[in-house]
Amino acid sequence: MMMPWLRKTVLKKLLLAVAAMIEARTPHTAILATKLPLEVEREDMRPQWLRRLLSTGQLRSDRELEPFARDALRMASSGGQTVVIAMDQTDLSDRLAILMVSVRIGERALPLAWWVEEGAANLGFEPQRQLLDKIREWLPTGTPVLLSADRFYGTVELLRYVRRVRWPYRIRLKSHFSVDTGQGELTTTGELAAGCRERYLPQVTLFAEGVPTAICILQEPGHPEPWIIAMDCPPTRARVLDYGLRWGIEPMFSDLKSRGFEWAESHLEQAKRLDQMILIMALALHWCVRVGWNDPLELPTPLEKKAQEQTSDDHWNVRKMLRSRLSWFTRGLRKLYRLVENGLPLPLFWVPT
């Protein structure tokens, strides 16, 4: 049974909310409530039902998402691949701050864990530590990991954390951090980057605390600011470009926002309720992505079959297939809609592994 720790009534309510989210594609409670497959005496009971679900103390987002997170980490680490963990922060109309940790799978990412706090706050290290500790528990034993994080997270605490747990990292730094290059005078990351296209510093210490790290600076044409990346290994151009792997989180945010579930339409003001709403959206996202990922394996299109027969990635059939390929989220969403419209059985919501 999926989520055996939940009472059956609570599990049923959660799954009904996920189904409504896939149909409505909005966290706006008034609209979402109309899509709930419920038999009610009065229509005003639907929003009440949804509000009670969002405020219940029987749901915990980390616990309920754990089976899906573990499965996503298993998929990402298949074949001994390095698992890319990305951290990013966003907000909801300056009412609520959201820290999101995701795992890269293919060209996109899936949510693993998050932290919601009221106010447009810059969340500190403690929420980061708690989320990363959970993910360390969920990772398959011996899995190689690369942590990629934006400028919010270039801090003494995070660098010490990744060094302690021995995770490789690519963390972008702000331009005002103090640096000791070991050549006499203190400088800043911005001064080191001024006027140069590429610069590699294999041994420096950051901040007043003197945290040891390597730094690579890369100014690419057309970009207004250089990347100033802290890393755990001797810096090279290829290694600094690893930081770009975190961009898999952007399609995920797009799916949660304008391209998918429109989370900006939420009018929720309490962190607890938004946390539960994100859980509903994350479960829907995981299901759609899994269905979309499996679909070309189970029912490839004629073009996909032709592309699979080619031995060269440069063959025109392969290039045409890549140009026309939908994201796993969009493909999964469309397949679920198509199955419902035709009255056909739906793929399993979760496949235990």
Side-chain angles (χ1 to χ4, degrees), residues 251-296:
M252 183 195 77
F253 275 135
S254 293
D255 293 339
L256 290 170
K257 296 179 180 179
S258 59
R259 197 169 58 188
F261 297 126
E262 300 284 359
W263 81 5
E265 294 182 357
S266 172
H267 298 293
L268 299 173
E269 296 184 355
Q270 297 178 20
K272 170 65 176 175
R273 292 191 176 189
L274 181 61
D275 177 79
Q276 307 287 48
M277 185 65 81
I278 294 175
L279 171 63
I280 294 168
M281 287 189 283
L283 289 171
L285 183 62
H286 274 263
W287 192 20
C288 290
V289 169
R290 173 180 278 279
V291 171
W293 179 70
N294 280 327
D295 192 47

Side-chain angles (χ1 to χ4, degrees), residues 62 65-66 69-70 73 112-113 134-140:
D62 60 334
L65 196 69
E66 180 179 346
R70 286 184 180 272
L73 290 167
L112 295 176
K134 285 189 179 74
I135 290 164
R136 286 173 58 214
E137 294 175 7
W138 299 342
L139 279 163

Side-chain angles (χ1 to χ4, degrees), residues 124-159:
F125 175 68
E126 184 56 25
Q128 301 169 38
R129 184 194 65 76
Q130 292 189 35
L131 297 184
L132 293 176
D133 280 349
K134 285 189 179 74
I135 290 164
R136 286 173 58 214
E137 294 175 7
W138 299 342
L139 279 163
T141 303
T143 300
V145 174
L146 176 69
L147 177 69
S148 182
D150 204 358
R151 285 177 288 187
F152 279 114
Y153 309 108
T155 63
V156 173
E157 295 87 354
L158 182 59
L159 284 172

Side-chain angles (χ1 to χ4, degrees), residues 56-208:
T56 181
Q58 298 183 58
L59 290 177
R60 271 184 32 207
S61 59
D62 60 334
R63 182 184 63 188
E64 272 56 272
L65 196 69
E66 180 179 346
F68 299 86
R70 286 184 180 272
D71 192 56
L73 290 167
R74 180 195 59 78
M75 289 170 61
S77 63
S78 62
Q81 297 180 86
T82 296
V83 173
V84 179
I85 302 295
M87 286 202 306
D88 211 338
Q89 184 170 319
T90 187
D91 58 60
L92 189 62
S93 302
D94 294 330
R95 301 192 310 273
L96 296 154
I98 305 161
L99 166 63
M100 182 70 73
V101 183
S102 66
V103 58
R104 183 183 175 94
I105 298 180
E107 298 299 318
R108 58 158 304 118
L110 281 172
L112 295 176
W114 55 87
W115 187 283
V116 183
E117 202 166 289
E118 294 176 18
N122 185 3
L123 300 176
F125 175 68
E126 184 56 25
Q128 301 169 38
R129 184 194 65 76
Q130 292 189 35
L131 297 184
L132 293 176
D133 280 349
K134 285 189 179 74
I135 290 164
R136 286 173 58 214
E137 294 175 7
W138 299 342
L139 279 163
T141 303
T143 300
V145 174
L146 176 69
L147 177 69
S148 182
D150 204 358
R151 285 177 288 187
F152 279 114
Y153 309 108
T155 63
V156 173
E157 295 87 354
L158 182 59
L159 284 172
R160 285 179 172 167
Y161 179 92
V162 290
R163 288 174 62 84
R164 177 172 61 82
V165 302
R166 298 182 179 180
W167 276 5
Y169 58 89
R170 305 290 187 270
I171 299 174
R172 191 172 179 183
L173 304 175
K174 294 182 179 179
S175 61
H176 65 273
F177 291 155
S178 62
V179 184
D180 184 351
T181 62
Q183 297 179 359
E185 294 184 0
L186 290 177
T187 184
T188 66
T189 46
E191 290 170 344
L192 289 173
C196 69
R197 285 294 185 90
E198 294 184 36
R199 191 167 187 178
Y200 304 100
L201 301 163
Q203 293 182 331
V204 302
T205 54
L206 281 173
F207 315 110

